[in-house]
Amino acid sequence: FESATAGRRGTPALGSPTPAATPLPVGTAGTQVVTTDTVATYQAGPPQRPDIHHDNGFLQNPNDPNDRTPIATQSPGVGDYAARAEWEGRLAAGRAIQGVPGVPHNNIPDGLDTYDHFLHGNGADRHFSYERFVSTDPAGQAVLTNSTRDTQQGAEAYYNQLVANDPSLANRPVTFQITGSQIPVGSSEQFPYPETENWQKAIGGHNVWNSATVTVYPPEQPGGQPRFSMDMTLHAEDRYNFNPGQHDIATGAPDAANGRLERTGLGHQYTNYGTLQRQVTWTQGSPENAVSRPIGGR
């Protein structure tokens, strides 16, 4: 799906020059996009973060799984401080073996960074590279490909709505914005759980949502199809914490060991954020033949 052969940013189609006519801004913010073939729901307008609910792991209210306020922590004891020191040692040992051939767990740098922040970040938000996830884990590429296709379909659907309401728009370049609801990553074939130990540890299951500015150019030839150019941002979120009854996939270590650090305030849950941007160009009706490249030329 990714391609490095696209023309410079701003081109309306696969290598064709930008038409002289200035695209007309169209659409009304908040208008729902009517579509039956997308995973996300879309509306017109600038980026708008969906209401994403994150659990609180071992600090979740046991009487209300929907309570967004963590319960109070407990005072740590001597054994808790000893456990914290043991996990500090494991973190240091893990860093020491990164890149060492033949050693288990020798390629988990992002997983170690996220755990380091759990121990030392005091609960502050953290930003990570979703580009690295896409480039180093097959699941990341699948998420990017399928979420991009989903937003392409949303863009085509909204353009069709606009033209249905005002047929004259089909004869001139137009531009609009759309923003989507969250898509859960980790529980479907389209949006699979990370395959590598590194990203299983770093983000695991998470949520993504897309926003985009779309420009549509009328057909160059009679009977042709409109051409789409979409500047899309994928937004990712993950609550990093540990959960009762769960365990590490690669090692089998129970979450409860670090859950105790959460309960005593010796480790802190936090939210991971990541974004990436793509320019995507295609002809209406053929989103599978799109050309996509990173915005900024990377």
Side-chain angles (χ1 to χ4, degrees), residues 168-216:
S168 70
L169 296 179
N171 300 316
R172 63 175 303 171
V174 298
T175 186
F176 55 85
Q177 292 179 294
I178 57 173
T179 185
S181 63
Q182 71 267 32
I183 297 174
V185 174
S187 58
S188 70
E189 185 176 348
Q190 274 187 294
F191 301 96
Y193 198 82
E195 291 187 20
T196 61
E197 181 185 4
N198 182 44
W199 291 105
Q200 289 171 357
K201 283 178 161 58
I203 55 176
H206 56 283
N207 286 281
V208 298
W209 60 278
N210 288 353
S211 59
T213 297
V214 183
T215 303
V216 187

Side-chain angles (χ1 to χ4, degrees), residues 128-198:
F128 72 101
S129 172
Y130 211 80
E131 291 281 4
R132 273 185 51 77
F133 175 48
V134 168
S135 64
T136 61
D137 192 301
Q141 184 60 60
V143 171
L144 174 59
T145 297
N146 291 320
S147 66
T148 301
R149 183 72 52 79
D150 199 72
T151 306
Q152 288 177 267
Q153 292 170 331
E156 288 198 14
Y158 190 51
Y159 177 70
N160 290 339
Q161 282 179 235
L162 292 167
V163 172
N165 290 330
D166 182 356
S168 70
L169 296 179
N171 300 316
R172 63 175 303 171
V174 298
T175 186
F176 55 85
Q177 292 179 294
I178 57 173
T179 185
S181 63
Q182 71 267 32
I183 297 174
V185 174
S187 58
S188 70
E189 185 176 348
Q190 274 187 294
F191 301 96
Y193 198 82
E195 291 187 20
T196 61
E197 181 185 4
N198 182 44

Side-chain angles (χ1 to χ4, degrees), residues 14 23 34 185 224 234 244 255 265:
L14 313 186
V34 180
V185 174
L234 180 152
D255 276 24

Side-chain angles (χ1 to χ4, degrees), residues 8-227:
R8 60 184 176 82
R9 184 180 178 189
T11 53
L14 313 186
S16 62
T18 303
T22 300
L24 174 70
V26 293
T28 302
T31 300
Q32 294 298 310
V33 177
V34 180
T35 178
T36 59
D37 58 358
T38 60
V39 177
T41 58
Y42 293 90
Q43 66 179 32
Q48 182 174 319
R49 178 188 176 274
D51 184 21
I52 299 173
H53 173 70
H54 298 293
D55 69 72
N56 290 302
F58 281 83
L59 297 180
Q60 184 64 47
N61 181 346
N63 299 315
D64 185 358
N66 296 315
D67 189 347
R68 301 191 180 197
T69 303
I71 61 175
T73 58
Q74 303 170 348
S75 297
V78 174
D80 297 313
Y81 286 110
R84 160 72 184 244
E86 179 183 350
W87 283 102
E88 290 274 16
R90 293 188 183 189
L91 174 61
R95 293 223 186 265
I97 63 171
Q98 293 308 289
V100 178
V103 177
H105 319 300
N106 64 353
N107 187 24
I108 55 170
D110 299 279
L112 293 174
D113 287 346
T114 51
Y115 186 70
D116 190 314
H117 196 75
F118 170 74
L119 292 180
H120 305 119
N122 294 316
D125 292 344
R126 180 177 177 273
H127 295 268
F128 72 101
S129 172
Y130 211 80
E131 291 281 4
R132 273 185 51 77
F133 175 48
V134 168
S135 64
T136 61
D137 192 301
Q141 184 60 60
V143 171
L144 174 59
T145 297
N146 291 320
S147 66
T148 301
R149 183 72 52 79
D150 199 72
T151 306
Q152 288 177 267
Q153 292 170 331
E156 288 198 14
Y158 190 51
Y159 177 70
N160 290 339
Q161 282 179 235
L162 292 167
V163 172
N165 290 330
D166 182 356
S168 70
L169 296 179
N171 300 316
R172 63 175 303 171
V174 298
T175 186
F176 55 85
Q177 292 179 294
I178 57 173
T179 185
S181 63
Q182 71 267 32
I183 297 174
V185 174
S187 58
S188 70
E189 185 176 348
Q190 274 187 294
F191 301 96
Y193 198 82
E195 291 187 20
T196 61
E197 181 185 4
N198 182 44
W199 291 105
Q200 289 171 357
K201 283 178 161 58
I203 55 176
H206 56 283
N207 286 281
V208 298
W209 60 278
N210 288 353
S211 59
T213 297
V214 183
T215 303
V216 187
Y217 299 89
E220 292 183 317
Q221 303 295 333
Q225 295 297 320
R227 295 159 295 142

